[in-house]
Amino acid sequence: MMRTRPLKVALLGCGVVGSEVARIMTTHADDLAARVGAPVELAGIAVRRPGRVRDGVPEELITTDAMALVKRGDIDVVIEVIGGIEPARGLITTAFEHGASVVSANKALLAEEGAALHAAAEQRGTDLYYEAAVAGAIPLVRPLRESMAGDKVNRVLGIVNGTTNFILDKMDTSGAGYSEALDEATALGYAEADPTADVEGFDAAAKAAILAGIAFHTRVTIEDVHREGITEVTAADIASAKRMGCTVKLLAICERAADGRSVTARVHPAMIPLSHPLASVREAYNAVFIEADAAGQLMFYGPGAGGSPTASAVLGDLVAVCRNKVNEATGPGESAYTQLPVSPMGEVVTRYHISLDVADKSGVLAQVATVFAEHGVSIDTVRQQGKDGEASLVVVTHRAPDAALSATVEALRRLQTVRGVASIMRVEGE
């Protein structure tokens, strides 16, 4: 039997995502009520600029006082889609203090303050759900947090930023340089006016922190994630990847150590073989590859951003949280029982693709090989081309600690016969 008293929802933020959430809540109110078991009523919408036109959004619900809205006392659920650290953090903690559950899409806040927010929710007996914080409409958080709760996840490898994937895909398919591809992404609305969060890897690093924490039942913050962006990726890097039968992707990689005593989390561009499932992820799409003991290999694929896809994830969480309210229950909270340390990047075992500009004369290859041997790094393949006293030397290593590989590169730079290091990129997916 359906409960007659409506569940009241406060919406914080009414931009691209928030306006779509408000529209769907209004137009699909009957369906939402049937799924929840009680009417779900949009009780207020907090915005910074009230004068803007928002199609399908009830104007009478608009307010500029977000704090007063979450303090009303009759709010059952707060949806936070404003982003950033403050005032989002203060608004969410205030919502918990007043008995409201929270649905958030705020990856930056969750990657920095997830543990504190979970603790605040648990203290008040409320929920914190955040499917929309990672990869838009793609269900990742709930499968990891609930469906795979009985399994042991060993690795999460994925493309979790659509802007960078679009840029790298255009560089690969059209031969465009980084700047040209970024301009196209901006013109199509895939990149923000200031694309720093995307192209420098901050967005992907926040998502990696969230995924690693859930997958490995330990606390991982954005400060624990090694981060490199794509601004240094060149057309020459893309061409080198093609010659190896690879493509370049910005990857978020979260791994459990072989001995099970630590985890790692990193974001950086890497070459992956064309045979790998992630290699076929094109344009602004996202995909995440999960490896677990019992489930084996799973891949989640779909649109990772945009108003409608992200709103879909928000509303999925809203239904779950509202059902919990109706049943006077709460869903899963933070699981950090393993308390595993996060190893630094230098201890991560990786492979490198290194392109060197060298003097075209005898003995150069021997000198380069000696440097690799002195640092305990073995060479998988090497290719040399030379003409008119100049040559290029492309070396692909076997797997070794990243610190050893980095030290090798620095030693190579000091060789008199090495004119320059044209490119360095990790190789993954093999």
Side-chain angles (χ1 to χ4, degrees), residues 27-360:
T27 58
H28 294 69
D30 291 343
D31 286 339
L32 290 173
R35 294 167 191 174
V36 168
V40 180
E41 177 185 311
L42 187 55
I45 305 171
V47 301
R48 284 182 294 180
R49 293 180 288 274
R52 298 177 65 177
V53 176
R54 299 173 173 88
D55 293 335
V57 177
E59 290 187 15
E60 65 274 14
L61 297 181
I62 298 292
T63 178
T64 57
D65 195 340
M67 188 60 75
L69 179 59
V70 299
K71 283 182 173 180
R72 271 178 37 173
D74 63 339
I75 299 297
D76 297 287
V77 182
V78 171
I79 298 174
E80 183 271 311
V81 288
I82 56 179
I85 305 302
E86 293 292 357
R89 173 170 45 194
L91 291 168
I92 289 174
T93 54
T94 301
F96 290 144
E97 290 168 2
H98 286 77
S101 291
V102 172
V103 173
S104 176
N106 195 332
K107 52 191 169 286
L109 179 59
L110 289 159
E112 185 173 307
E113 298 287 345
L117 294 178
H118 274 294
E122 182 178 3
Q123 182 180 6
R124 298 291 178 167
T126 56
D127 278 323
L128 173 62
Y129 276 53
Y130 43 90
E131 185 67 66
V134 183
I138 305 172
L140 276 174
V141 172
R142 191 172 289 116
L144 280 170
R145 195 158 74 158
E146 299 180 32
S147 303
M148 302 184 73
D151 206 343
K152 179 183 177 184
V153 176
N154 297 309
R155 194 171 195 234
V156 180
L157 171 73
I159 298 164
V160 295
N161 182 272
T163 301
T164 52
N165 199 57
F166 179 89
I167 292 170
L168 293 172
D169 183 50
K170 288 303 174 184
M171 292 176 69
D172 181 74
T173 56
S174 70
Y178 168 77
S179 296
E180 296 172 85
L182 174 58
D183 288 344
E184 184 175 354
T186 304
L188 293 172
Y190 292 128
E192 301 286 347
D194 179 1
T196 302
D198 293 321
V199 300
E200 294 292 355
F202 290 100
D203 175 85
K207 295 169 182 176
I210 294 169
L211 291 174
I214 300 170
F216 307 133
H217 302 278
T218 195
R219 286 179 177 167
V220 181
T221 71
I222 193 168
E223 296 299 322
D224 298 316
V225 181
H226 174 82
R227 175 193 55 79
E228 298 173 31
I230 66 166
T231 56
E232 301 301 319
V233 177
T234 65
D237 294 326
I238 302 294
S240 294
K242 284 186 174 182
R243 284 193 291 269
M244 288 181 59
C246 294
T247 189
V248 177
K249 299 291 186 183
L250 182 73
L251 298 178
I253 306 170
C254 312
E255 295 177 303
R256 188 191 299 268
D259 61 8
R261 296 179 180 177
S262 64
V263 299
T264 60
R266 51 194 165 108
V267 168
H268 55 72
M271 297 180 180
I272 58 172
L274 294 176
S275 58
H276 194 281
L278 292 178
S280 61
V281 179
R282 305 289 304 279
E283 299 198 329
Y285 277 77
N286 285 189
V288 176
F289 203 72
I290 295 175
E291 299 173 10
D293 277 0
Q297 297 180 332
L298 306 173
M299 182 167 165
F300 299 80
Y301 169 84
S308 294
T310 306
S312 172
V314 169
L315 289 162
D317 278 351
L318 176 63
V319 169
V321 167
C322 286
R323 285 172 175 169
N324 290 342
K325 286 284 186 180
V326 169
N327 294 318
E328 299 181 348
T330 55
E334 183 189 33
S335 176
Y337 72 92
T338 64
Q339 299 182 17
L340 295 172
V342 183
S343 297
M345 186 64 191
E347 297 178 10
V348 177
V349 177
T350 62
R351 296 180 68 201
Y352 271 27
H353 171 282
I354 306 168
S355 180
L356 304 171
D357 294 328
V358 299
D360 186 15

